[in-house]
Amino acid sequence: MRGKLIVFEGLDRAGKSTQCERLVESLRNEGHQVRHLKFPDRSTPIGQMINNYLKGQSEQEDHVIHLLFSANRWEAVPSIQADIETGITVIIDRYYYSGCVYSAAKNNPTLDLNWARHPEEGLPRPDICIFLDISPADAAKRGGFGGEKYENQQMQDHVRQLFGQLRSSSEKDDFAKIDAGGSLDEVQRDVLQVAMKAIERVDAENLPLGFVQPW
C-alpha cells in the first residue's frame, strides 16, 4: 500500500501544529511509517527568503512572495512523492490552501484566489485536508497573535472568509472540517477518526495519489 498525504489547515491559534504532532504519534503507534512536514520550510534558500519576509526583515512584491511560497512547496515534491511511493504517510502542517488564501487576503486586485491557485496545479493532492475551525472568540482565549507579517486580526478575518470560498469550491470533497474549540483530547479524537477513514478509503479503493487540477 502506498503512503497517504494528509494536510492540516486552519487559522492561526487553531492548534494545527499540536494536532499534527499528535496524529504523527498516533499513526506511528499503530505501525505506520510517517514523515512530518511544515510549510513554509525555512531550511532551504527559498525558505530563508520567506522567513526574512515574514519577520519583516525584507520586502517582496505580492506576486513574487506568493511564487516563492509556491516554489518552496514544489521543491519538496520529489521527496514527498518518493516517500508516498514507498509506503510512508506524509503529514503536512499548512499546504497550498494556506498559500492561496493568505496571498488573496492582501486585497491586491491582480492577485485573487484564482490567480494564486494556478502555480499550485500539479502538486500532489492530499487524500484528506483536515481543516481545524475555530471561532474568533475561542481563538482570542488562546492568546494574542505573534509578530510575523500575517498575524493580525484583519488578515485572519479575511483568511477565514477565503477558506470558506476554497472549501465550497470544486475541492470540497478533500476537506473535513473539525471544530477545534474543544479540548486537545476531543479534537485529537476527531482528527484521528477522520484520518483513519481517509486511510481506509484509499487502501480499500486502491486509489492512486492525485494531483491538483485546474479549476
Side-chain angles (χ1 to χ4, degrees), residues 56-142:
Q57 298 170 0
S58 68
E59 291 297 326
Q60 296 284 355
E61 195 274 336
D62 290 342
H63 300 78
V64 172
I65 191 62
H66 179 77
L67 293 175
L68 286 174
F69 272 102
S70 182
N72 190 234
R73 291 183 281 275
W74 274 104
E75 63 185 349
V77 166
S79 65
I80 291 172
Q81 290 178 314
D83 283 341
I84 289 174
E85 288 171 2
T86 56
I88 298 171
T89 289
V90 179
I91 297 177
I92 302 178
D93 183 350
R94 291 203 186 279
Y95 197 38
Y96 75 89
Y97 307 89
S98 280
C100 292
V101 297
Y102 276 88
S103 288
K106 295 177 180 180
N107 290 322
N108 186 320
T110 63
L111 207 174
D112 60 9
L113 202 55
N114 190 56
W115 192 99
R117 193 179 174 283
H118 281 308
E120 318 305 324
E121 293 170 6
L123 284 174
R125 184 169 176 170
D127 295 302
I128 189 67
C129 175
I130 300 173
F131 183 83
L132 298 184
D133 190 37
I134 187 168
S135 69
D138 285 337
K141 297 175 184 177
R142 298 184 177 182

Side-chain angles (χ1 to χ4, degrees), residues 16 44 76 110 116 128 144 151 160 190 198 204 206 208 212:
K16 294 180 304 302
T44 72
T110 63
I128 189 67
E151 295 176 335
R160 176 187 295 278
D190 294 342
N206 196 26
V212 178

Side-chain angles (χ1 to χ4, degrees), residues 14 26 28 40 44 49 53 58 63 81 112 124 127 130 140 147 155 157 163 178 185 193 196 203-204:
S26 295
R28 284 176 176 164
T44 72
M49 295 175 67
Y53 169 80
S58 68
H63 300 78
Q81 290 178 314
D112 60 9
D127 295 302
I130 300 173
M155 173 66 82
D157 288 345
F163 264 127
I178 290 177
D185 289 342
Q193 183 179 37
M196 291 306 300
D203 287 344

